[in-house]
Amino acid sequence: MCEVAMGEQERDISDIDPQECSSVMENGVMLVVNQSRVRAPLSVVLATVLYCAEFVTAAVLCSYYQKTEDVIWMGFTIAFMLVPAVLIQLTLTFIHRDLGRDRPLVLFLHLLLLGPVIRCVEALVVYYKAGRKEEPYVTISRKISLKKGHGTPMEWEIGQSERTLATHRNAFKRTAVIQAFLGSTPQLTLQLYATIQEKYFLLPARLTLMIITLISVIYGALVCSVLAIQIRYDDYKVRLRPVAYLCMIVWRGLEIATRVTALVLFSTALTHWVILVGMANLLFFFFFPWAEFWARKGSLTQDVEKNFSKLGTIVVLSMFTLLYACINVFCWSAVQLDLTHRELIERKQHWGRLAMYYCGRFVENFVLIALWYYYKSDFYEYVCAPLLAVQLLICYSLAVLFMLLFYQFCHPCRRLFKYNVHDCLHCVCCLKTRRGPSGGGQKLPPSYSTAATMVLVPDEPLELLNPQNSEHGERETAIIEDMTDAA
């Protein structure tokens, strides 16, 4: 008989109606008799399909490069194909802890770079076997389902099948991020650069590889954003609505496409300088978490792996920081590293860092596009260069707009924000008004964002909306300090 481990209390933010569940009330807790419904491992299948498609297409393209004796293109394509594949095998082996288990076939398939395939097959087998026979639950998950601001405590019995599938999903989320930013993004940049250098000669294999890598990058960035939300709000069961996914896809797609295009255009005009730009970005984001770690005089977390030595811990943290740096070179990582914390992620939402990143990235893209426009070759004489430059800047501005819309209206935990986007913009306007000659006695209109984000606290009287009230003044000051805080 298996042990029953009591799960930590979580809060489920979703649109599920508690009345739809068969349950009984006991001591104020709605007990769900049936076990939680086993969901299909669609994310595992999608990550595996993208991994295999990109690997096979890159191999076909390398064979063409070998026939045409394009040694440079072939070398870089192989590198961007094999490096993330090897790291994915190591990640899956580390998460599933297969080195200490007797599974020679699985380890052999990992050596053949087929680890994601066998893991996907295992997940599908577990899914199709689930529910055929009654199995004892291994843990109880306590959650609070929020619907229209009202919370209902609930409990779910989690079976062994659902727990195993959750492990597979978490592993493939990590591998999707590795594949996207250590393989797909540099591969997309390389193939786009090769296409422009070869006078827009689009090979079928190259075009297919560019499409697959773009889908992989967008999916990886989407997974990165969702992981950031789940890690920051790990006490809550987060479920995003379809409109939230759509908003994130548009946001991440425009952001990454604009960034890659700006780097490629700049590299066609100033080939050697793009190496300096890329290395400067990579080194800055790589050493920034370590600089914060040394400034805080902290000690390395010991919870990465108990069997690791101090050197092994440093190596793992360095690889994690490298992945963090590669993500930030192309898009916002949505998290900040804290090497002293056991989960390596800082839970506080830094609106100031978010604003600084996008402002700095917009200026950098503008400079890269301007330098390309000034030093471009005659090859672009049939391309409307001013229109292309304006389109790229507009696309990045639209990416920032969709990002703001996501945090304001589509974020699943926006009710838990201390301050939201509207609060920050509203407070900046209030600061300018209060510094004016007649702004001291004006009464501020209530913020609709406050009602949405502060739904879990008791309602405040309308008198607190007066800017002369000391408590509200302190709140405004705190918002401004949080906006300007970059540490």
Side-chain angles (χ1 to χ4, degrees):
M1 186 172 180
C2 62
E3 299 181 357
V4 179
M6 301 299 293
E8 296 182 357
Q9 182 172 348
E10 297 177 347
R11 298 184 181 181
D12 185 11
I13 301 179
S14 63
D15 295 330
I16 297 179
D17 190 353
Q19 301 299 328
E20 296 178 358
C21 303
S22 58
S23 55
V24 294
M25 296 298 295
E26 180 178 328
N27 298 328
V29 177
M30 181 175 291
L31 299 178
V32 178
V33 178
N34 297 328
Q35 294 183 358
S36 62
R37 181 174 59 89
V38 179
R39 295 179 292 111
L42 298 179
S43 61
V44 175
V45 176
L46 179 57
T48 305
V49 169
L50 290 175
Y51 170 81
C52 295
E54 183 174 344
F55 193 93
V56 172
T57 310
V60 173
L61 185 59
C62 287
S63 65
Y64 174 82
Y65 286 148
Q66 184 181 11
K67 293 179 181 179
T68 58
E69 297 182 355
D70 292 329
V71 181
I72 297 178
W73 300 142
M74 183 182 68
F76 280 109
T77 303
I78 292 176
F80 296 145
M81 175 181 66
L82 292 181
V83 170
V86 173
L87 292 178
I88 286 175
Q89 313 307 316
L90 296 176
T91 302
L92 291 175
T93 306
F94 175 77
I95 293 178
H96 290 279
R97 302 178 182 276
D98 287 329
L99 294 179
R101 302 163 62 184
D102 187 15
R103 305 188 67 183
L105 177 61
V106 174
L107 294 177
F108 177 71
L109 291 176
H110 275 292
L111 291 176
L112 298 179
L113 304 181
L114 294 176
V117 178
I118 187 61
R119 301 294 182 183
C120 180
V121 173
E122 289 180 352
L124 291 176
V125 170
V126 172
Y127 171 71
Y128 284 114
K129 285 185 177 180
R132 293 189 177 182
K133 62 178 181 179
E134 185 178 356
E135 59 181 11
Y137 62 91
V138 296
T139 185
I140 294 178
S141 178
R142 294 181 176 180
K143 309 170 186 177
I144 297 180
S145 178
L146 293 178
K147 186 173 181 62
K148 297 180 181 180
H150 300 285
T152 304
M154 305 184 71
E155 286 185 355
W156 280 270
E157 297 175 354
I158 306 298
Q160 182 64 38
S161 298
E162 178 62 22
R163 197 176 194 181
T164 304
L165 289 176
T167 303
H168 283 289
R169 291 191 190 95
N170 292 332
F172 274 86
K173 287 177 182 178
R174 275 71 178 174
T175 59
V177 176
I178 294 174
Q179 176 71 28
F181 294 100
L182 295 183
S184 299
T185 309
Q187 191 76 269
L188 176 61
T189 307
L190 172 68
Q191 302 307 327
L192 183 59
Y193 177 79
T195 302
I196 296 177
Q197 291 295 96
E198 295 183 357
K199 311 300 181 184
Y200 297 106
F201 180 64
L202 277 175
L203 298 170
R206 181 187 291 165
L207 178 61
T208 305
L209 181 59
M210 290 171 61
I211 295 175
I212 293 174
T213 52
L214 181 60
I215 297 175
S216 177
V217 171
I218 295 177
Y219 176 69
L222 187 68
V223 171
C224 188
S225 299
V226 176
L227 275 176
I229 296 174
Q230 292 176 345
I231 293 175
R232 182 170 287 120
Y233 303 96
D234 62 341
D235 293 334
Y236 299 83
K237 183 71 173 181
V238 177
R239 294 183 182 179
L240 282 80
R241 297 176 297 172
V243 65
Y245 281 110
L246 180 61
C247 190
M248 281 197 296
I249 290 174
V250 177
W251 159 30
R252 292 303 196 174
L254 290 174
E255 180 183 7
I256 295 173
T258 306
R259 177 63 175 170
V260 171
T261 306
L263 287 173
V264 171
L265 290 178
F266 177 76
S267 64
T268 58
L270 301 170
T271 305
H272 298 91
W273 284 95
V274 73
I275 301 176
L276 178 61
V277 173
M279 291 303 298
N281 276 269
L282 186 65
L283 293 177
F284 173 80
F285 288 108
F286 179 83
F287 287 107
F288 184 75
W290 291 99
E292 284 189 326
F293 170 76
W294 291 322
R296 295 174 182 175
K297 298 180 180 180
S299 57
L300 290 175
T301 176
Q302 301 296 326
D303 296 329
V304 176
E305 176 61 41
K306 295 181 179 179
N307 297 327
F308 279 179
S309 62
K310 191 171 183 178
L311 178 60
T313 302
I314 294 177
V315 172
V316 172
L317 292 179
S318 299
M319 295 300 298
F320 190 73
T321 311
L322 177 63
L323 177 61
Y324 168 81
C326 292
I327 295 173
N328 281 280
V329 168
F330 294 96
C331 67
W332 172 245
S333 62
V335 295
Q336 289 80 44
L337 295 187
D338 184 4
L339 300 179
T340 61
H341 195 271
R342 63 182 182 87
E343 295 181 355
L344 306 177
I345 300 297
E346 190 171 351
R347 295 180 178 273
K348 184 178 179 182
Q349 179 69 45
H350 289 281
W351 297 108
R353 288 189 179 182
L354 181 66
M356 290 178 60
Y357 177 87
Y358 277 100
C359 290
R361 188 64 74 205
F362 183 86
V363 172
E364 182 184 0
N365 289 339
F366 175 80
V367 173
L368 294 179
I369 296 172
L371 291 174
W372 162 76
Y373 180 78
Y374 185 77
Y375 291 103
K376 68 180 185 299
S377 61
D378 296 336
F379 173 67
Y380 297 96
E381 61 181 354
Y382 298 106
V383 178
C384 185
L387 179 60
L388 179 58
V390 172
Q391 286 176 341
L392 290 175
L393 296 178
I394 291 177
C395 286
Y396 198 81
S397 301
L398 288 176
V400 176
L401 175 62
F402 276 96
M403 182 266 296
L404 295 176
L405 291 177
F406 171 76
Y407 278 106
Q408 179 64 41
F409 300 106
C410 302
H411 197 287
C413 300
R414 63 187 182 277
R415 296 184 179 94
L416 308 177
F417 286 171
K418 188 176 181 181
Y419 313 116
N420 210 327
V421 176
H422 180 267
D423 292 315
C424 298
L425 297 178
H426 180 262
C427 193
V428 170
C429 297
C430 294
L431 180 63
K432 294 180 180 180
T433 304
R434 293 179 62 178
R435 288 181 177 179
S438 59
Q442 294 181 356
K443 187 173 182 179
L444 299 176
S447 169
Y448 69 86
S449 176
T450 304
T453 57
M454 304 302 290
V455 69
L456 297 181
V457 299
D459 294 334
E460 297 178 349
L462 295 178
E463 289 77 10
L464 294 180
L465 297 175
N466 193 327
Q468 294 179 351
N469 185 280
S470 59
E471 295 181 0
H472 190 66
E474 293 176 357
R475 180 176 181 271
E476 289 184 352
T477 305
I479 296 177
I480 298 173
E481 291 177 353
D482 186 71
M483 290 174 56
T484 58
D485 181 17

